[in-house]
Amino acid sequence: MAYLDSSADIQQADIGADVSDYFALLKPRVMSLVVFTALVGMLLAPNGLHPFVGLLAILSIAIGGGAAGALNMYFDADIDAIMSRTKNRPIPAGRIKKNQVLGFGLFLTGFSVPILGLATNFMAAGLLALTIFYYVVIYTIWLKRITPQNIVIGGAAGAFPVMIGWVAVTGSVSIEALVLFSIVFLWTPPHFWALALYKKGDYEAAKIPMLPNVAGENATILQIIVYSVLLAIVGVLPVVFGFAGYFYGAVASVLGLTMIVLAIRLRGVEQKQMRQRARKLFTFSLSYLFVIFLVLLLETLVLRMTGAA
Amino acid sequence: MSDPQKTPEEMPKDTPQAHDQQVLSEEYKKRQRRRSAAIAIGLVGLVASFYILTMVKLGPELFSRAL
């Protein structure tokens, strides 16, 4: 028969964490983006990997990304408890103890990085370790609570997986990998600032210096427009550098222009309408990244199969 | 700390030890079993992964060595 060690444990653990709570620590939605972008990077890279090695590499990158998510929840437990979007996460909801989360995150990091190195190469593994370090230490612990540019600098963490996917296959960082990295990097600020515009109250309550709370809504909208323009330009760079065709170029141009229009439409309207439009931009930005990467991938695969690339 | 020699029924009810040793609920045990199953699946997956990866990476070379 099993026992809990003390009444304090009973209070906190109550009926114990379920497997689904551990899965929630991995931030499955962020993980799906990590898996998707890493897969795109991997499939776009020349040559390719043995299917099993590719599968193991994707799994390692996914688990590494999940480990970073768990460590983020460990360090952010206090602010997660305040925000409506995060208060049902396993730690603030009291379903799992903080120290268990720390152990879980470190354990997954300790496994995912060496396995990626053994399966592919140690440059990819080094980049995965750097991603976890960047997200947990640079973004979560350091920048998130002190600068309104947190999302811009922290955005690099989300942009690394596509590069890791590429490096896992080729063993080196090339211009194509950097372009793919730049697309996700420049996509992050308008995506999260759109969220911050309509969830402003949440971030204010948690005392996180998001741009709308610190610099105001107009300054945020201006920066969203600037980053949307930069994103639209970088979005067509794969055509310029010759690793995407004109079909991709057309789709990326249309989507990039739509993003700019949605960003400009945030200006000069009343609060309520601006929030609705910010939500629309947030949703569109999700589709933007998914569609341009999917088109880039499908076009490359079709061109390869037909022997045109 | 608890005395492993005694069952909860044998423990005096009014001591701190008795208070600390509470029998776990069915839901707790069910979750514990699910966690254990997930760990088992993870371990088996890890072993299988290392085995297959070795075969894929080294292939027939694995057996090309001096005996």
Side-chain angles (χ1 to χ4, degrees), chain A residues 143-220:
Chain A
L143 296 170
K144 187 174 179 179
R145 298 178 193 228
I146 62 166
T147 167
Q149 292 297 319
N150 48 16
I151 284 303
V152 180
I153 305 159
F160 275 123
V162 66
M163 193 191 247
I164 300 172
W166 181 282
V167 174
V169 179
T170 63
S172 64
V173 178
S174 58
I175 190 74
E176 294 94 331
L178 289 172
V179 168
L180 296 172
F181 172 91
S182 305
I183 292 173
V184 187
F185 180 71
L186 291 169
W187 166 86
T188 311
H191 174 74
F192 279 103
W193 282 333
L195 173 76
L197 276 176
Y198 72 86
K199 288 274 184 187
K200 195 178 160 194
D202 259 12
Y203 288 108
E204 218 158 49
K207 295 188 174 65
I208 301 174
M210 289 300 278
L211 199 60
N213 307 84
V214 177
E217 286 167 356
N218 287 337
T220 307

